[in-house]
Amino acid sequence: MKVEKVNDNKVKIILSFEELEMRNITINDIEKNNSAARNLFTSLIEENNLDEDFGCEDVQLFIEASSDNTNTFILTITKTDYLPDISDYSKNENKMLYRVDSRLFEFNSLDTILDFCKIAKDENLFFGKNSLYKYEDKYFILFSDNAIKNKKFIKTFVMISEYTSRYFSYDLYYKTLIEKGKIIVANRALQKLINI
């Protein structure tokens, strides 16, 4: 097992299929998202001390499981400060709840956004309505509420978090951005940048 910290918001845990087998769990269990899969995710977080080192308390974790077809299983854990309503869980007892509440993403440079767009094109990511702003020396992508509520946005959120320096889920900052920032590309910014 190997742990890779991608950034402050994302970590990857890499295991071989043999290591999964030793834990008596199959890829089929993970695909079904059953209790065995949820127990695996919880135990991996605890075993690797991620609850303390990664700061998992009082945040929502987005968990993406994948395989690179080379006997390797990859668990990507992305954190956000949004906590879902606990009552949502009672309605979905057998399913993990995934929800994105972050609609504003900060980038250190335009090149970083273009690097993300290259990956996004290969992955055919969903964007919805979004705009590109510049404020002071930073660049920001602002997604519409409808975009982040779309189920397809989960994968976009997980991937964009590797490139963004910060993301926000509250209204105050993006209102400042709209009032004081300079809009560079409106409405379909990433869709336009992806073709550059």
Side-chain angles (χ1 to χ4, degrees), residues 97-191:
L97 179 65
Y98 298 100
R99 184 172 171 184
V100 175
D101 193 47
S102 303
R103 56 183 298 217
L104 178 61
F105 296 81
E106 178 185 298
F107 297 85
N108 292 325
S109 70
L110 189 55
D111 286 339
T112 306
I113 297 175
L114 293 175
D115 288 343
F116 167 68
C117 285
K118 288 177 190 172
I119 298 297
K121 187 173 187 177
D122 293 338
E123 294 289 334
N124 196 24
L125 295 183
F126 169 82
F127 298 128
K129 187 177 178 182
N130 64 90
S131 299
L132 172 63
Y133 288 83
K134 184 174 183 183
Y135 179 57
E136 295 179 343
D137 62 342
K138 302 285 185 181
Y139 292 87
F140 298 85
I141 295 289
L142 176 62
F143 290 94
S144 70
D145 281 334
N146 286 339
I148 66 169
K149 289 176 183 174
N150 190 305
K151 290 181 181 179
K152 296 178 184 175
F153 192 78
I154 295 293
K155 184 174 181 182
T156 305
F157 174 80
V158 169
M159 297 201 72
I160 202 171
S161 66
E162 290 187 29
Y163 294 86
T164 188
S165 51
R166 292 191 297 172
Y167 49 86
F168 307 89
S169 58
Y170 46 86
D171 293 344
L172 184 63
Y173 199 87
Y174 86 80
K175 287 180 180 174
T176 301
L177 178 69
I178 291 171
E179 291 172 7
K180 298 183 179 179
K182 177 183 177 184
I183 190 159
I184 298 173
V185 184
N187 298 330
R188 293 176 53 83
L190 290 172
Q191 290 90 326

Side-chain angles (χ1 to χ4, degrees), residues 64-79:
E64 182 182 40
S66 63
S67 171
D68 63 4
N69 295 320
T70 60
N71 194 37
T72 304
F73 172 75
I74 304 166
L75 189 70
T76 305
I77 303 170
T78 307
K79 67 178 181 177

Side-chain angles (χ1 to χ4, degrees), residues 28-30 33 35 61 92 104 138 162 165 192-193:
N28 193 37
D29 291 327
I30 293 166
N33 196 18
S35 60
L61 299 178
N92 299 284
L104 178 61
K138 302 285 185 181
E162 290 187 29
S165 51
K192 293 171 184 174
L193 291 172

